[in-house]
Amino acid sequence: MREADRRTALGSVWLRDEPEPTRSRLSREDIVATAIRVLDRDGLDTFSMRVMAAELGTAATSALYWRIANKNDLLELVVDTVLGDALVEVQGDWREQATGVLMAAYQALCAHPWAAQLLPTHAGLGPNYQALTDRVQGILAAAGFKGTHLDSAVSAVVHYLIGSAVADSAWLSVVRRSGLSEARWASKSADRMGLDSHHLAAYLNPESTAGPESRFTSGLRVIFIGLRPRQIS
C-alpha cells in the first residue's frame, strides 16, 4: 500500500497509527491547538489545510502534512479535543452526576459552536468521546441500569446531547452569518418565520431562562424523570 493510502485507510484518524516522530518542533498537539484557535476565530466554512498552513507559516507546512494527513483527520482531532473539557467529576446521586457530565459536554460544545456541527460526521471514535460515553455508562450502571436498558438509556441521553448541540449550533450559525446580534436578528426575522420577536430573541440568548442552556437542562430533567434503573429482557 502506498504511504498516502496507508495514512488515510479505514476512514478515521483514530484507526491508524500516529506518524513516526520527526525533527520538527511542531507536534500534533501544536497543530490541533492552532486549528481550534482558527476555528474559533473564523468558523468552519472557510477552514482548510491551506488556511492552516498559512497560519502555521511556510516553514511548518511540510510538518503539518506529515503529522496530519488531511482536513478530515484534523477535524476529528479538534472535535475530540473540545470534548475533553467534559471529562469532569460530579458529586450527587446518579441523576446529578449524569446531568453534570452532560452539561459540561454541552457547554464545551457551545464554547466552540463549530464543534457541534462536526458531531454528526467527525465524532464517535475519539478517546474523549469514548471516555464521555463510558462515564455516562458507568454512572447509570452504578445506579442499577442493566443489559439492553443500560444501552438504551446511554443512547437516549448521549443522543439528546448531540441533537441539542447540533440544533442550537445551527441556529447560532445562521445568526453569525448575518453579522447581527441575536436580538437584532430576531427582530428582523421573526415576522418572516411567523414568530414573536421577543420569544425568538429569548430562545437564542444563552443568558435567557428560555435560552439554549436552560432548555438543555430542562430536557435532561424530562428524560431522567422517565428513566428508572431496571433491566429489560
Side-chain angles (χ1 to χ4, degrees), residues 208-226:
S208 169
T209 55
E213 187 168 314
S214 295
R215 290 196 309 276
F216 179 76
T217 305
S218 298
L220 278 179
R221 291 198 200 100
V222 171
I223 293 173
F224 286 142
I225 287 171

Side-chain angles (χ1 to χ4, degrees), residues 117-186:
Q117 298 175 49
L118 294 172
L119 287 176
T121 53
H122 291 80
L125 295 177
N128 288 330
Y129 185 95
Q130 294 296 321
L132 172 64
T133 56
D134 288 347
R135 182 73 55 83
V136 173
Q137 184 175 40
I139 292 169
L140 297 183
F145 289 78
K146 299 178 181 178
T148 56
H149 186 49
L150 173 60
D151 294 339
S152 298
V154 173
S155 293
V157 295
V158 172
H159 291 174
Y160 171 71
L161 163 68
I162 294 172
S164 297
V166 170
D168 292 339
S169 174
W171 277 101
L172 295 178
S173 293
V174 172
V175 175
R176 178 176 177 172
R177 288 196 296 271
S178 75
L180 303 173
S181 67
E182 288 96 346
R184 185 65 174 162
W185 184 86

Side-chain angles (χ1 to χ4, degrees), residues 60-110:
T61 302
S62 60
L64 167 65
Y65 284 101
W66 177 250
R67 292 293 188 187
I68 300 174
N70 54 53
K71 177 180 172 180
N72 280 325
D73 280 10
L74 181 52
L75 293 178
E76 282 192 284
L77 291 164
V78 295
V79 72
D80 198 69
T81 298
V82 166
L83 286 173
D85 292 337
L87 303 180
V88 298
E89 294 292 340
V90 182
Q91 303 300 315
D93 65 19
W94 68 267
R95 289 184 178 87
E96 291 169 332
Q97 291 179 48
T99 297
V101 170
L102 293 163
M103 178 57 71
Y106 180 80
Q107 290 172 337
L109 293 167
C110 287

